[in-house]
Amino acid sequence: MQKGFIFDLDGVIVDTAKYHYQCWQKIAEHAGVKFSLEENEELKGVGRVQSLEWILKKTSKKFSQKQKDIWLEEKNQHYVSLIKDMTRKELLPGVLAVMEKIRDTGHRMALGSASKNAKLILDILRLTSSFDVIVDGKSVQHTKPNPEGFLLAAELMRIPPENCVVFEDAIAGVQAANAAGMLSIGIGKQKYLHEAIHCFESFAEMDQTFLDNLILVNE
Ligand code: BG6
Ligand code: MG
C-alpha cells in the first residue's frame, strides 16, 4: 500500500520557530504586549495574520488595519532577513534520514506548511525536489487547525487521507491532521502535543522499529 507522508516545515524540518518567535516578540513590544515562549506554542502552525490578531488580543488597545499591515510587513521582512542565511546545519536532528528512508520505499511525500515563505526556505535548503507535492500558506484559505491544507496535500498526492501520516510540531497542526482523519505524529514536547496519536521529542528520538513499521508495513 502506498502511503502519503506529510511534513510540516517550521519546527519539523528546520528550526525556524525561534525566528518566528523573535520577530513576533518585536511586534508585541511595539504593541505594548508581553509575549512569552510558552505562549508562542499556541502560534506554531498558525498563519501570519491570525498570529498578529492573537497577540493583539492581549491588549485592550485598538489598532487600525493600516497599522496591522505595517506590522505584518515588518514581521515578514525581519523574518526573511533572518532565514536567508540559513544553512542545512539548521535542519532538525534526524529529519533527512527519515525523509530518505520514506523516499527509498516509494511512498509519496508532501510538504504541508502554513508559511508563505515555505518555497523560499525549501530552495535555501535545497529540498524542493524532495517533495512530490508542496502545499503552503499560499495554497489554502484556512490555516491550521483547519484540515484544508492536509486534505489538499492528500488529494494532490492521490492518497486517501486515512493512508496519510502527518509530522507536526504545532498543536494546531496536530489538530488539523486529526481533523483530516490522518495519523498525527507530534515532533516535540508531549506536554504540548498530547493530542497527537504518537509523539517523539525529535526524529532522532524516533524508535526505529516504530519507523520501520510505519514505512515498511504494507497493510
Ligand atoms: C507556520 C509557523 O509554519 O507558518 C507559524 O509555524 C507562522 O509560526 C506561519 O506564523 C506563517 O508563516 P509565514 O512565513 O507565512 O509568516
Ligand atoms: Mg510547525
Side-chain angles (χ1 to χ4, degrees):
M1 178 183 79
Q2 199 179 33
K3 289 185 183 177
F5 287 85
I6 305 176
F7 288 75
D8 172 49
L9 175 68
D10 296 309
V12 166
I13 295 177
V14 69
D15 190 13
T16 44
K18 61 183 182 207
Y19 298 135
H20 279 296
Y21 176 55
Q22 199 178 323
C23 298
W24 283 130
Q25 257 196 326
K26 257 249 110 46
I27 303 300
E29 245 172 59
H30 295 336
V33 163
K34 279 208 170 21
F35 175 53
S36 70
L37 196 57
E38 190 81 11
E39 288 173 313
N40 189 54
E41 287 301 319
E42 298 283 334
L43 292 195
K44 286 186 178 173
V46 174
R48 201 182 304 165
V49 173
Q50 293 80 357
S51 298
L52 178 64
E53 292 299 340
W54 193 98
I55 291 168
L56 297 183
K57 270 203 197 122
K58 290 174 57 86
T59 168
S60 53
K61 285 185 230 158
K62 291 280 165 262
F63 300 100
S64 66
Q65 191 53 49
K66 194 171 164 215
Q67 179 61 75
K68 291 180 192 175
D69 289 343
I70 290 170
W71 283 338
L72 288 169
E73 185 57 30
E74 180 186 329
K75 189 269 172 182
N76 196 50
Q77 278 185 13
H78 186 190
Y79 181 68
V80 171
S81 77
L82 295 175
I83 59 168
K84 73 175 188 344
D85 298 323
M86 260 185 337
T87 68
R88 281 190 162 216
K89 284 195 185 123
E90 285 171 75
L91 289 175
L92 284 156
V95 66
L96 272 191
V98 171
M99 284 171 65
E100 273 162 27
K101 202 162 184 174
I102 294 170
R103 169 66 59 220
D104 288 348
T105 50
H107 293 302
R108 311 276 283 168
M109 291 211 311
L111 188 87
S113 170
S115 173
K116 293 189 165 129
N117 294 300
K119 287 185 180 155
L120 171 67
I121 295 173
L122 289 183
D123 281 348
I124 291 171
L125 299 171
R126 292 177 280 112
L127 286 178
T128 306
S129 60
S130 302
F131 295 96
D132 301 299
V133 162
I134 293 174
V135 169
D136 66 8
K138 294 180 181 167
S139 324
V140 291
Q141 295 284 322
H142 305 101
T143 73
K144 303 166 188 178
N146 190 293
E148 183 187 353
F150 291 151
L151 290 171
L152 178 62
E155 190 187 322
L156 295 173
M157 287 192 288
R158 302 209 182 116
I159 305 278
E162 61 271 24
N163 296 341
C164 289
V165 176
V166 175
F167 298 112
E168 258 296 346
D169 72 313
I171 301 164
V174 165
Q175 290 169 340
N178 291 343
M182 301 176 178
L183 180 72
S184 55
I185 302 190
I187 303 294
K189 293 206 183 326
Q190 165 80 27
K191 72 167 173 169
Y192 300 124
L193 303 175
H194 52 84
E195 289 177 55
I197 304 296
H198 303 281
C199 186
F200 300 91
E201 284 263 338
S202 79
F203 283 105
E205 301 291 312
M206 197 175 276
D207 180 79
Q208 283 308 303
T209 315
F210 171 83
L211 187 61
D212 288 344
N213 285 338
L214 192 68
I215 296 175
L216 301 174
V217 169
N218 267 345
E219 50 193 77

